[in-house]
Amino acid sequence: VNPPRVAVIGLGLIGGSIAVCLRQAGIHVAGLDHREEVAEVARELGLIDEIHGDVASLMQEREAVVLAVPVSGVFDLLPMVDRYAERHTLVLDTGSVKRPVIEVIRALPGASRCVGGHPIAGSEKSGPAHARPDLFRDRTFVLTPTSDTANDALQQARTLVERLGALPVIMDAAEHDRMLARSSHLPQILSTSLALSVHRIAPELAGPGLQSMTRLAASDPAMWRDVLTENCDEVLSALDDYVAGLDRMRDALQRRDGEELAALIAAGAQARYGLFGVAA
Amino acid sequence: VNPPRVAVIGLGLIGGSIAVCLRQAGIHVAGLDHREEVAEVARELGLIDEIHGDVASLMQEREAVVLAVPVSGVFDLLPMVDRYAERHTLVLDTGSVKRPVIEVIRALPGASRCVGGHPIAGSEKSGPAHARPDLFRDRTFVLTPTSDTANDALQQARTLVERLGALPVIMDAAEHDRMLARSSHLPQILSTSLALSVHRIAPELAGPGLQSMTRLAASDPAMWRDVLTENCDEVLSALDDYVAGLDRMRDALQRRDGEELAALIAAGAQARYGLFGVAA
């Protein structure tokens, strides 16, 4: 029996981490990245077994192909991958926005074997040099099947996600985009805006609080450009909710209302505990 | 020769960490905390040599007394500590706002030996259980002497800061408050506001980005109430600058202007690299 064979397109942090995790589980992993030097680094680091230069050859005899490129790249790749995929090849993407991806999938001849996916994991560091096999361990990996999705394909996707050590969570794509606008896309905007506003701070006055609050600001601009433009309505709505909360803080500040400020900070702490626990 | 003797008032994260670091350097450390159970925990953990119940007995034969309580507590304690301090006892506070503290110090009979201080270190975790001797290692410790400050007192403060492994940085109190409003107090407000706005997110969708962006939200409400009310003008000004940047992001989102979004994210990344380096 031959080992399972998987293809990964896009060998940055996410694709590289998926590749190396599967490879360590004995799966044969072929990789493709349109940036030749990225593919070379991925091979040198042992993240993949072999490099392919074109989708047609990459897709031969693969149980699954994983797309780990910015969302605009997913749009371009899906029709091409669909064209070369065999009948039972799972096509799984990993983009942070799901509704526009689902819309592209619905129009494909092979829509039944394409599943939208999104691992709730990552780092501000990009590129194959930061890939690690445990990036997804105990993390949620959202899957957004539609009424077109074949049961077999969804089961294949679940199995792949579990091989990464992640926890598959089935969600509606629109609900995913609404929630992630709040839990992920909004924080990215806040971090970038903060980084833009503190450029005159002396590094010796930059403490651990500022460090964690600007960590996301170091993320990949191309990836986030796609996420924010593709989910802009939900992100704008999340931003409005956020600014309403910020205005409550501002009002309390303007009144020098210590009691109200303490109450808001305590309520924020409770919300944080609810998400991450006291010791997180 | 007797070992140096230092008193610490307030045995939470900051006071406890100062105490244990000095104690490990062979200094005799007496502690006081108006919360009896906090003082007991600090002694049980070996952060201090002995507990005192009142300022008068605590201050006897001390080279220095460190105030590590919320800023409103510093206002209350300074006159009392000044009354019992011996002629050459250094009085050093550690509050995150310095101008109001300096104003109180100026009015004291012993103003010449009182120095405003602020370690650029800390954690969202409070209390003596989280104290650690290396909390200040290689961190900036701002000192804000005035024209009233005796050279001896400033030198004592420098020596104490260096004993903590920290780097003393002399600053004007008003400049400190202006900069820290941007580098520390503003991030606290943003983190709290974000935590308040994400209370309906399912924990399984809360990823590492949201985790770092809400870490500060878990901080002590009483401490931050004092910081924000005492520095509210500077914090409001920092908030205005921040919202201007946020509005640029919002405008680009509303236009779905991917090029502008990518440029803003890239500029934010550069600002972040400037503060913390690429690998931070």
Side-chain angles (χ1 to χ4, degrees):
Chain A
V1 181
N2 291 324
R5 293 162 56 88
V6 170
V8 177
I9 304 182
L11 299 168
L13 176 74
I14 298 295
S17 295
I18 289 173
V20 69
C21 183
L22 295 178
R23 198 171 175 228
Q24 289 187 1
I27 294 170
H28 183 275
V29 180
L32 183 155
D33 198 297
H34 73 276
R35 301 159 299 183
E36 269 179 46
E37 70 285 5
V38 168
E40 279 301 339
V41 168
R43 181 164 60 184
E44 279 162 23
L45 291 170
L47 309 182
I48 55 174
D49 290 287
E50 60 187 40
I51 298 176
H52 287 256
D54 64 283
V55 173
S57 87
L58 177 81
M59 299 284 297
Q60 280 179 6
E61 294 174 44
R62 297 288 157 188
E63 277 87 39
V65 55
V66 178
L67 311 184
V69 299
V71 176
S72 60
V74 173
F75 298 155
D76 295 340
L77 279 167
L78 274 171
M80 212 185 319
V81 163
D82 184 57
R83 182 173 155 199
Y84 291 108
E86 291 166 36
R87 205 175 145 180
H88 295 292
T89 303
L90 165 72
V91 179
L92 177 70
D93 91 303
T94 58
S96 303
V97 187
K98 295 271 64 78
R99 203 163 56 168
V101 171
I102 294 304
E103 282 168 20
V104 173
I105 287 176
R106 278 191 190 282
L108 296 176
S112 64
R113 55 167 154 60
C114 297
V115 179
H118 179 212
I120 312 297
S123 164
E124 77 282 11
K125 294 165 189 154
S126 43
H130 296 108
R132 47 195 185 83
D134 64 346
L135 187 65
F136 309 104
R137 184 170 308 282
D138 299 329
R139 294 286 179 184
T140 295
F141 198 123
V142 175
L143 298 173
T144 60
T146 70
S147 52
D148 296 336
T149 311
N151 282 337
D152 283 0
L154 182 57
Q155 189 49 51
Q156 271 178 290
R158 278 181 180 277
T159 302
L160 193 150
V161 164
E162 283 161 1
R163 273 191 175 131
L164 298 174
L167 313 167
V169 171
I170 308 289
M171 282 184 78
D172 173 71
E175 173 73 358
H176 168 277
D177 291 359
R178 201 179 69 77
M179 299 298 269
L180 269 288
R182 285 153 179 81
S183 66
S184 167
H185 311 168
L186 173 66
Q188 177 64 42
I189 286 176
L190 306 184
S191 189
T192 291
S193 299
L194 180 59
L196 289 170
S197 86
V198 296
H199 59 95
R200 280 170 304 186
I201 299 292
E204 66 262 31
L205 296 182
L210 188 62
Q211 188 163 16
S212 29
M213 291 297 288
T214 56
R215 183 177 69 79
L216 293 179
S219 302
D220 180 43
M223 179 200 141
W224 280 101
R225 173 199 61 209
D226 286 4
V227 172
L228 297 178
T229 52
E230 290 303 328
N231 202 26
C232 64
D233 290 344
E234 291 294 356
V235 174
L236 283 167
S237 161
L239 190 52
D240 286 344
D241 289 351
Y242 174 77
V243 170
L246 202 57
D247 284 343
R248 287 181 67 192
M249 297 284 285
R250 188 207 300 260
D251 289 347
L253 271 169
Q254 275 167 336
R255 284 179 286 125
R256 267 188 92 145
D257 185 342
E259 206 171 318
E260 171 74 359
L261 285 167
L264 288 167
I265 295 168
Q270 285 306 316
R272 212 273 174 175
Y273 297 156
L275 286 175
F276 297 105
V278 173
Chain B
V1 182
N2 293 323
R5 294 162 56 88
V6 170
V8 177
I9 302 182
L11 299 168
L13 176 74
I14 299 295
S17 295
I18 290 173
V20 70
C21 183
L22 295 178
R23 199 170 175 229
Q24 288 187 1
I27 295 170
H28 184 274
V29 180
L32 183 154
D33 199 297
H34 73 276
R35 301 160 298 183
E36 270 180 45
E37 69 286 6
V38 168
E40 279 301 337
V41 169
R43 181 164 61 184
E44 278 161 25
L45 291 170
L47 309 181
I48 54 175
D49 290 285
E50 60 188 39
I51 298 177
H52 287 255
D54 64 283
V55 173
S57 88
L58 177 81
M59 298 285 296
Q60 280 180 6
E61 293 175 43
R62 298 287 159 189
E63 276 87 40
V65 55
V66 178
L67 310 184
V69 298
V71 175
S72 60
V74 174
F75 298 156
D76 296 339
L77 279 167
L78 273 171
M80 212 184 319
V81 163
D82 184 57
R83 182 173 155 201
Y84 292 107
E86 291 165 37
R87 205 175 145 179
H88 294 291
T89 304
L90 165 71
V91 178
L92 178 69
D93 90 305
T94 59
S96 303
V97 186
K98 294 272 65 78
R99 204 164 53 169
V101 171
I102 293 304
E103 281 167 21
V104 173
I105 287 175
R106 278 190 191 280
L108 296 175
S112 64
R113 56 168 152 61
C114 296
V115 179
H118 179 213
I120 312 298
S123 164
E124 77 283 10
K125 294 166 190 154
S126 42
H130 296 108
R132 46 195 186 84
D134 64 346
L135 187 66
F136 308 104
R137 183 170 308 283
D138 299 328
R139 294 286 181 184
T140 295
F141 199 122
V142 175
L143 297 173
T144 59
T146 69
S147 52
D148 296 335
T149 311
N151 282 337
D152 283 359
L154 182 57
Q155 188 50 50
Q156 272 178 290
R158 278 181 179 278
T159 302
L160 193 151
V161 164
E162 284 161 2
R163 274 193 175 129
L164 298 173
L167 313 165
V169 170
I170 308 290
M171 283 184 77
D172 173 69
E175 172 74 356
H176 168 277
D177 290 358
R178 201 178 69 76
M179 299 296 269
L180 269 288
R182 285 153 180 82
S183 66
S184 167
H185 311 169
L186 173 66
Q188 177 64 42
I189 285 177
L190 305 183
S191 188
T192 291
S193 299
L194 179 59
L196 289 171
S197 86
V198 296
H199 59 97
R200 282 169 304 187
I201 298 292
E204 66 262 32
L205 297 181
L210 188 62
Q211 188 164 17
S212 28
M213 291 298 286
T214 55
R215 183 177 68 78
L216 293 180
S219 302
D220 179 42
M223 179 199 141
W224 280 101
R225 172 200 63 208
D226 286 4
V227 172
L228 297 177
T229 51
E230 290 303 328
N231 202 26
C232 64
D233 289 344
E234 290 294 356
V235 175
L236 282 167
S237 160
L239 190 53
D240 286 344
D241 289 351
Y242 174 77
V243 170
L246 202 58
D247 285 344
R248 286 180 67 191
M249 297 284 285
R250 187 207 301 260
D251 289 347
L253 270 169
Q254 274 167 338
R255 285 179 296 153
R256 267 187 93 145
D257 185 342
E259 205 171 319
E260 171 74 357
L261 285 168
L264 288 168
I265 296 169
Q270 285 306 316
R272 212 272 175 177
Y273 298 156
L275 285 175
F276 296 106
V278 173

